[in-house]
């Protein structure tokens, strides 16, 4: 549980939102949209960019990993490829995390939401020591919600959907933090199919039947049974980073997740 005194005042306490999602899922665009949304509501967020390899950010980050580590220089200096470069940059940034947290702490009175954008190569953040250190430090300071952003149009086939949900499930178990699944790009396709597959096991089985044969089919059947348990504890929202639709519900779900988190401790 968070260690600060603000933990006893759930309604006033700042909330960390960590955005995680596969490359191209629309994390950065969603961050930009959320940023604009919160500015319009006169509750500007404090924004931190943890992606050292992003070339251009469409929003102004208050703290940017690129200000302290030059990812291309790190690659050259340590003779690394792109993934090693991102990982080492994240490690170097983590050595300064205490300073970052001091700044965050100072801003906690003025900002309710702290938004963290992470590298598109999800595993670099979710499965690295520095990713764990950052996540655990945030969660020990303020209530922290992990938002897993899904590229809805690209996950509309049952097999892709299930792979993506398995991935989301692994991140939930790895971080063990309040979790929100944000189906993005609902301006292109509604996320209703996903909600129906999650709520109705038979509907998903039906969709599967039309797809795969033999071994794959029976493997998918078994895996979907496992996922059924995961869905029961999941918060889901459909959003469009492009149009802004769904953001009211997005923040309702974030607040719900935080409330539940307080009730548990
Ligand atoms: P990485 O930086 O590689 O990790 O990608 P990302 O997850 O940050 O995705 P990004 O925000 O760069 O968006 C990827 C593409 O999807 C871009 O072409 C966006 O314009 C598009 N996109 C993002 N959100 C939406 C959305 O809600 N609707 C539509 N139609 N397109 C979107």
């Amino acid at each position: 549980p968070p260690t600060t005194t603000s933990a006893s005042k759930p309604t006033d306490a700042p909330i960390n939102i960590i955005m995680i999602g596969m490359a191209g899922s629309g994390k950065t665009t969603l961050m930009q949209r959320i940023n604009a949304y919160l500015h319009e509501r006169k509750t500007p967020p404090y924004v931190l960019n943890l992606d050292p390899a992003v070339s251009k950010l469409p929003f102004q980050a208050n703290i940017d990993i690129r200000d302290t580590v030059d990812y291309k220089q790190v690659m050259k200096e340590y003779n690394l490829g792109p993934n090693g470069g991102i990982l080492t940059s994240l490690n170097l940034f983590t050595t300064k995390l205490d300073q970052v947290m001091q700044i965050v702490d100072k801003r906690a009175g003025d900002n309710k939401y702290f938004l963290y954008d992470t590298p598109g190569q999800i595993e670099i953040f979710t499965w690295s020591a520095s990713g764990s250190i950052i996540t655990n430090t945030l969660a020990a300071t303020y209530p922290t919600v992990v938002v897993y952003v899904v590229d809805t149009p690209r996950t509309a086939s049952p097999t892709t959907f299930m792979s993506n949900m398995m991935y989301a499930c692994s991140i939930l178990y790895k971080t063990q933090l309040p979790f929100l699944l944000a189906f993005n790009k609902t301006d292109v396709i509604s996320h209703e199919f996903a909600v129906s597959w999650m709520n109705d096991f038979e509907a998903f089985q039906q969709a599967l039947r039309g797809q795969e044969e033999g071994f794959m089919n029976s493997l998918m059947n078994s895996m979907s049974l496992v996922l059924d348990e995961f869905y029961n504890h999941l918060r889901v929202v459909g959003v469009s980073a492009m149009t802004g639709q769904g953001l009211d519900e997005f923040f309702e779900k974030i607040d719900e997740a935080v409330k539940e988190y307080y009730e548990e401790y």
Side-chain angles (χ1 to χ4, degrees), residues 101-137:
M101 294 319 291
Q102 278 171 20
I103 300 172
V104 164
D105 227 23
K106 277 199 194 117
R107 300 308 306 251
D110 300 331
N111 301 89
K112 181 167 169 84
Y113 297 103
F114 288 78
L115 307 179
Y116 298 81
D117 197 5
T118 63
Q121 290 74 0
I122 308 185
E123 67 284 3
I124 292 183
F125 188 77
T126 51
W127 291 94
S128 67
S130 44
S132 299
I133 291 169
I134 295 172
T135 311
N136 293 342
T137 306

Side-chain angles (χ1 to χ4, degrees), residues 12-135:
D12 305 337
I15 297 168
N16 291 317
I17 301 178
I18 305 178
M19 306 287 273
I20 293 179
M22 291 188 186
S25 59
K27 258 177 313 100
T28 307
T29 316
L30 187 57
M31 284 277 286
Q32 179 191 21
R33 178 60 67 182
I34 290 174
N35 194 16
Y37 175 92
L38 290 173
H39 271 278
E40 275 164 26
R41 275 152 190 79
K42 310 273 181 267
T43 50
Y46 200 74
V47 182
L48 297 93
N49 172 44
L50 303 182
D51 185 355
V54 70
S55 54
K56 224 170 160 205
L57 273 187
F59 51 82
Q60 181 75 37
N62 298 93
I63 294 180
D64 195 327
I65 185 171
R66 296 173 306 168
D67 293 339
T68 39
V69 240
D70 181 343
Y71 150 75
K72 290 215 167 116
Q73 191 57 36
V74 168
M75 274 173 67
K76 252 196 223 146
E77 205 171 305
Y78 297 91
N79 200 17
L80 298 166
N83 286 341
I86 297 174
L87 178 61
T88 306
S89 300
L90 204 61
N91 289 344
L92 291 170
F93 179 80
T94 307
T95 62
K96 300 196 173 75
L97 190 61
D98 57 325
Q99 291 167 39
V100 175
M101 294 319 291
Q102 278 171 20
I103 300 172
V104 164
D105 227 23
K106 277 199 194 117
R107 300 308 306 251
D110 300 331
N111 301 89
K112 181 167 169 84
Y113 297 103
F114 288 78
L115 307 179
Y116 298 81
D117 197 5
T118 63
Q121 290 74 0
I122 308 185
E123 67 284 3
I124 292 183
F125 188 77
T126 51
W127 291 94
S128 67
S130 44
S132 299
I133 291 169
I134 295 172
T135 311

Side-chain angles (χ1 to χ4, degrees), residues 127-152:
W127 291 94
S128 67
S130 44
S132 299
I133 291 169
I134 295 172
T135 311
N136 293 342
T137 306
L138 298 186
T141 315
Y142 301 115
T144 301
V145 183
V146 171
V147 173
Y148 183 75
V149 184
V150 178
D151 188 334
T152 315

